[in-house]
Amino acid sequence: EISLGLVGSEMCIRDRIRQRRRIVNDKIQHANGRLLFWVVKAIETGEHNDDLRNAFEELEKAEEEAKMLDREILALHEDP
């Protein structure tokens, strides 16, 4: 009975991590798309504005969020 509770708890943790991973991956994909759009726009027009810089910062932020999640996952699997 206790072991079933642990398995269920572990499954819950795994599912939450998977959901968070999907959200982070979506953020990274969206940020990459925005960044690519503004890079192409800058190339076409020969100029850029804060939108390009903001898109780059958004990508950096999403990638940092992914790194933090990776560290959290690794910490869960470390030996006590």
Side-chain angles (χ1 to χ4, degrees), residues 14-53:
R14 183 197 65 204
D15 291 346
R16 278 196 311 261
I17 288 173
R18 285 183 178 169
Q19 177 64 21
R20 287 176 57 202
R21 172 64 67 198
R22 280 191 292 272
I23 290 168
V24 168
N25 287 344
D26 286 348
K27 287 179 181 180
I28 290 172
Q29 184 176 5
H30 177 75
N32 273 319
R34 283 195 66 223
L35 182 61
L36 181 58
F37 172 83
W38 289 110
V39 166
V40 169
K41 189 84 163 167
I43 291 169
E44 289 175 345
T45 63
E47 56 188 51
H48 68 86
N49 57 25
D50 285 339
D51 290 324
L52 177 57
R53 185 177 356 274

Side-chain angles (χ1 to χ4, degrees), residues 33-79:
R34 283 195 66 223
L35 182 61
L36 181 58
F37 172 83
W38 289 110
V39 166
V40 169
K41 189 84 163 167
I43 291 169
E44 289 175 345
T45 63
E47 56 188 51
H48 68 86
N49 57 25
D50 285 339
D51 290 324
L52 177 57
R53 185 177 356 274
N54 292 339
F56 183 75
E57 289 171 359
E58 181 182 330
L59 178 59
E60 285 181 315
K61 185 175 157 186
E63 288 177 340
E64 183 58 33
E65 190 174 344
K67 288 178 190 176
M68 289 172 44
L69 181 57
D70 289 341
R71 286 192 288 270
E72 185 178 326
I73 292 167
L74 288 173
L76 286 172
H77 297 301
E78 285 181 352
D79 292 330

